[in-house]
Amino acid sequence: MSVTGCGTVAALCLVCLGSAEYDPAWADGAAGPPPEVRHRRFQAPIASDIAREVHARVNAERRRRGLVPLRWDDAVAAVAAAHSRDMARRDYFAHVDSDGRTASDRLADLVAGCRGWGTAENIWMARDSTGRHRGVPEAAVSGWMASRGHRNNILGPRYDTAGVGVAVAGERVYLTQNFWWCERP
């Protein structure tokens, strides 16, 4: 595995996993899905497993430092998953989505009833030509912990809730983790 790019201020990372060109998921022996399928293949069960493992690994990092684990929130995870799918479908990798919205904009619908609230976002993109995606959660969390911006989001003491969304499109795996806190009146 090699890290091909990592920005600490923007809190995003890009990595490549594996080196083989053949994706065993494609029985015809092609080097990946045909173009008409490439952006529609998101493998929901694999994505869900990756998301839950990322969340567990992030909570393990928080516990090691005496912080309260983050509560999983399905609504926050749905927002994160939508962003991951958008990045995969439209072939980009950024915190600002294809409609010009940030994580705070995308999570704004959840703030009803909050006197104060805050968000943070980590994103990760891996290229895994093995098609197994086994090392993605560990690589993502390890990479985030090695980056000040990511680590600050993961270890932010005010955050109490998170959700992870994953899109798998051929060899590419997109992860979005949104962190959230809401002060109720």
Side-chain angles (χ1 to χ4, degrees):
M1 173 176 32
S2 63
V3 175
T4 58
C6 187
T8 59
V9 175
L12 53 90
C13 274
L14 170 69
V15 300
C16 293
L17 302 173
S19 58
E21 293 302 316
Y22 173 68
D23 182 344
W26 297 95
D28 63 4
E36 67 274 9
V37 176
R38 190 171 291 133
H39 294 291
R40 289 183 282 143
R41 186 170 173 256
F42 295 113
Q43 301 178 357
I46 292 171
S48 176
D49 291 346
I50 292 170
R52 292 295 181 164
E53 186 175 341
V54 166
H55 185 74
R57 287 178 177 277
V58 163
N59 275 337
E61 294 292 344
R62 289 177 62 89
R63 279 188 201 98
R64 264 195 281 282
R65 289 156 180 88
L67 296 168
V68 175
L70 299 166
R71 183 179 56 84
W72 177 272
D73 185 277
D74 288 334
V76 174
V79 171
H83 185 57
S84 290
R85 284 191 306 272
D86 189 57
M87 289 190 292
R89 284 186 182 123
R90 297 184 184 191
D91 196 25
Y92 72 95
F93 182 66
H95 290 284
V96 178
D97 69 20
S98 57
D99 296 322
R101 299 176 330 144
T102 65
S104 293
D105 297 329
R106 292 187 296 273
L107 289 163
D109 291 341
L110 305 179
V111 302
C114 296
R115 184 171 47 203
W117 62 281
T119 66
E121 178 176 83
N122 286 348
I123 61 175
W124 183 268
M125 198 279 279
R127 232 178 128 83
D128 182 5
S129 58
T130 68
R132 292 185 215 102
H133 315 300
R134 288 189 187 130
V136 170
E138 180 180 2
V141 176
S142 295
W144 286 338
M145 290 304 293
S147 161
R148 185 180 317 171
H150 297 96
R151 187 175 53 251
N152 289 345
N153 291 343
I154 289 170
L155 302 178
R158 190 138 194 207
Y159 297 119
D160 58 8
T161 304
V164 180
V166 178
V168 178
E171 293 180 354
R172 293 172 299 131
V173 182
Y174 292 86
L175 281 81
T176 303
Q177 181 170 35
N178 290 126
F179 302 87
W180 169 264
W181 66 267
C182 170
E183 184 181 316
R184 303 274 178 203

